[in-house]
Amino acid sequence: MEDQMGLAERRSVERFKNEDYPGWKARIDEAAGFEVPIEVAWEELAVPDYADSYAEYFPQVYFQPLLDAFGAFGADDMGRDALREGVVKVVVRNTDEYFSPSGISFAEGVLMFDHKSESNTITSRSGRRRCRASWKPGSEPGAPAYASTR
């Protein structure tokens, strides 16, 4: 994905990274029971024309789902031990390819979270879910993995 960050995007990403992200990181670490190494490709998360929505979209798309997942797995000592032993790092990025769970993978201890920053979000202005993706065969819950689409 080519770097498309203008000044507004760079400012908004920097603000989120310095002001909002530390709180999300602390909550994720607490839920996991250890300091989770997280690499965020900030330059990829930024998309043109959405700079004013990063504070809303980044948590919805990336950090709340991570917090929920680590909280569910780390709900007890056994789960926290399994996370500590199994998770080497988390990589958060946007290659502009995925808008569904098909961009999330776990291999060799690396949880890859690759998702479009601006899709599948709920905007505060309208209260309606913003989803640029349309339904495709095989994308429904319970569909076989081979039938899923990006």
Side-chain angles (χ1 to χ4, degrees):
M1 182 173 166
E2 68 183 62
D3 182 12
Q4 299 179 349
M5 283 205 300
L7 182 59
E9 288 82 10
R10 286 194 302 271
R11 284 179 173 156
S12 188
V13 164
E14 196 66 22
R15 192 211 57 77
F16 185 88
K17 181 169 60 171
N18 294 325
E19 296 177 19
D20 297 350
Y21 176 70
W24 284 103
K25 175 70 166 82
R27 289 192 298 274
I28 291 167
D29 291 347
E30 183 179 342
F34 70 103
E35 191 169 327
V36 180
I38 301 178
E39 295 176 10
V40 180
W42 296 107
E43 69 285 352
E44 289 182 0
L45 300 193
V47 292
D49 302 323
Y50 290 96
D52 62 340
S53 299
Y54 295 165
E56 185 179 354
Y57 289 0
F58 291 175
Q60 285 181 40
V61 173
Y62 304 106
F63 302 110
Q64 186 65 54
L66 283 173
L67 177 60
D68 293 346
F70 279 104
F73 282 101
D76 57 23
D77 289 339
M78 187 182 305
R80 286 187 292 277
D81 288 344
L83 285 171
R84 196 175 298 107
E85 292 171 12
V87 177
V88 174
K89 70 178 174 179
V90 175
V91 177
V92 176
R93 64 183 309 192
N94 171 18
T95 60
D96 205 33
E97 293 181 44
Y98 303 101
F99 50 79
S100 69
S102 61
I104 301 169
S105 62
F106 184 77
E108 299 180 18
V110 177
L111 175 60
M112 179 68 65
F113 199 116
D114 184 354
H115 195 283
K116 291 184 177 188
S117 300
E118 78 283 10
S119 66
N120 301 328
T121 59
I122 299 173
T123 63
S124 61
R125 288 183 283 265
S126 68
R128 294 177 21 204
R129 183 168 289 276
R130 177 181 158 68
C131 182
R132 292 186 352 181
S134 59
W135 178 86
K136 295 179 181 163
S139 65
E140 62 275 352
Y146 64 85
S148 65
T149 59
R150 287 196 220 203

